[in-house]
């Protein structure tokens, strides 16, 4: 078995070993869907003709997928470094890319499964999501979104040394970003200056791309901009992550 296959297998086992973590990875976005779906059930966004669920569901899904990708890679790198697993890997012929790629495949599978479960629940009559004919376009955005937030998680995981630090830093990043990016309520409800700030945040473009794909809200120009922006953020975060990566806490 080559290094990449062995690391991927280890990453998979680590991901499914803790049943509680697996459960909440999939359940957490559904909790928000339940809360917002019941609060705004049957209501429309003023002067748009859109149901609130068509606004909220793409954003909550985007946040859930991004949140899982960011936390998973951050905790894994921190734990592997603290347990000297990364140092041991460094002493083998395994390249750095194989370490990252092993987590990448698992994170992409988790992201797709999250999306399938979430959309399936959102389509139930109690929530009433109207699925667009463009729904297959959600897959490229999901892949790009997970990739961008994995790259961001590479930075967080490389600069934190404890689970508490990972949780604090990651939450300080993802929670404000979710609100400012429009994951939990329409961007039109925010002041203009906050809408401007949202254009500098990667989660905004995951939201936009998913909204075009599954809710049909927006056009293909917005979709193309969202995909291009996520590619740019991946390159940026990946470059920073490569420079800040640490094999051990002593380096």
């Amino acid at each position: 078995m080559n290094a990449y296959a062995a690391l991927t297998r280890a990453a998979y086992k680590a991901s499914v070993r803790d049943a509680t973590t697996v459960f909440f990875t999939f359940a957490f976005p559904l909790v928000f869907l339940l809360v917002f779906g019941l609060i705004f059930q049957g209501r429309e966004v003023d002067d748009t003709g859109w149901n609130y669920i068509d606004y909220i569901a793409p954003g909550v899904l985007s946040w859930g997928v991004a949140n899982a990708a960011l936390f998973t890679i951050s905790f894994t790198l921190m734990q592997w470094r603290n347990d000297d697993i990364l140092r041991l890997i460094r002493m083998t012929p395994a390249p750095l890319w194989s370490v990252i790629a092993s987590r990448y495949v698992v994170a992409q599978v988790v992201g797709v499964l999250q999306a399938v479960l979430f959309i399936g629940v959102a389509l139930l009559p109690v929530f009433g999501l109207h699925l667009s004919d463009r729904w297959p376009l959600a897959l490229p955005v999901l892949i790009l979104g997970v990739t961008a937030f994995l790259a961001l998680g590479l930075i967080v995981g490389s600069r934190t040394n404890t689970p508490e630090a990972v949780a604090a830093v990651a939450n300080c990043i993802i929670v404000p970003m979710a609100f400012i990016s429009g994951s939990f309520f329409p961007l039109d409800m925010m002041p203009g200056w906050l809408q401007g700030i949202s254009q500098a945040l990667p989660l905004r473009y995951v939201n936009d791309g998913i909204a075009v794909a599954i809710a049909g809200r927006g056009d293909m120009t917005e979709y193309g901009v969202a995909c291009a922006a996520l590619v740019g953020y991946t390159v940026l975060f990946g470059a920073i992550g490569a420079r800040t990566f640490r094999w051990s806490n002593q380096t």
Side-chain angles (χ1 to χ4, degrees), residues 189-234:
M189 297 174 61
M190 295 196 307
W193 63 274
L194 272 180
Q195 294 183 39
I197 292 176
S198 74
Q199 295 178 359
L201 303 176
L203 188 55
R204 161 70 184 269
Y205 298 100
V206 185
N207 292 345
D208 287 351
I210 294 296
V212 172
I214 71 171
R217 200 179 73 245
D219 54 34
M220 293 307 297
T221 299
E222 292 180 55
Y223 181 84
V225 169
C227 291
L230 291 172
V231 171
Y233 279 114
T234 298

Side-chain angles (χ1 to χ4, degrees), residues 3 16 25 48 51 61 66 70 75 92-93 95 104-106 116 119 128-129 132 145 160 167 198 207 219 241:
V16 301
T25 296
T48 66
N51 291 329
L61 171 59
L70 175 61
F75 272 110
T92 72
Y104 179 80
V105 172
V106 174
V116 170
I119 294 174
L129 174 68
S132 167
T160 50
S198 74
N207 292 345
D219 54 34

Side-chain angles (χ1 to χ4, degrees), residues 34-120:
L34 177 64
V35 171
F36 287 112
L38 295 181
I39 290 175
F40 298 113
Q41 186 178 30
R43 296 179 57 184
E44 293 185 350
V45 179
D46 294 341
D47 302 323
T48 66
W50 292 96
N51 291 329
Y52 264 98
I53 190 64
D54 296 321
Y55 264 89
I56 298 302
V60 174
L61 171 59
S62 301
W63 164 80
V65 170
N67 186 69
L70 175 61
F71 271 87
T72 297
I73 189 66
S74 300
F75 272 110
T76 298
L77 287 180
M78 177 277 300
Q79 194 65 57
W80 283 10
R81 193 174 59 252
N82 286 350
D83 293 343
D84 274 341
I85 294 175
L86 288 179
R87 185 178 62 83
L88 294 175
I89 293 174
R90 190 180 188 184
M91 297 170 62
T92 72
L96 174 59
W97 71 263
S98 64
V99 178
I100 306 304
S102 65
R103 292 300 315 180
Y104 179 80
V105 172
V106 174
Q108 291 291 0
V109 172
V110 170
V112 171
L113 292 177
Q114 279 183 296
V116 170
L117 176 61
F118 183 92
I119 294 174

Side-chain angles (χ1 to χ4, degrees), residues 6-32:
L7 288 168
T8 301
R9 183 178 179 182
Y12 166 75
K13 289 184 175 180
S15 298
V16 301
R17 182 177 295 123
D18 188 342
T20 302
T21 300
V22 173
F23 174 79
F24 281 102
T25 296
F26 292 95
F28 204 25
L30 295 177
V31 171
F32 280 82

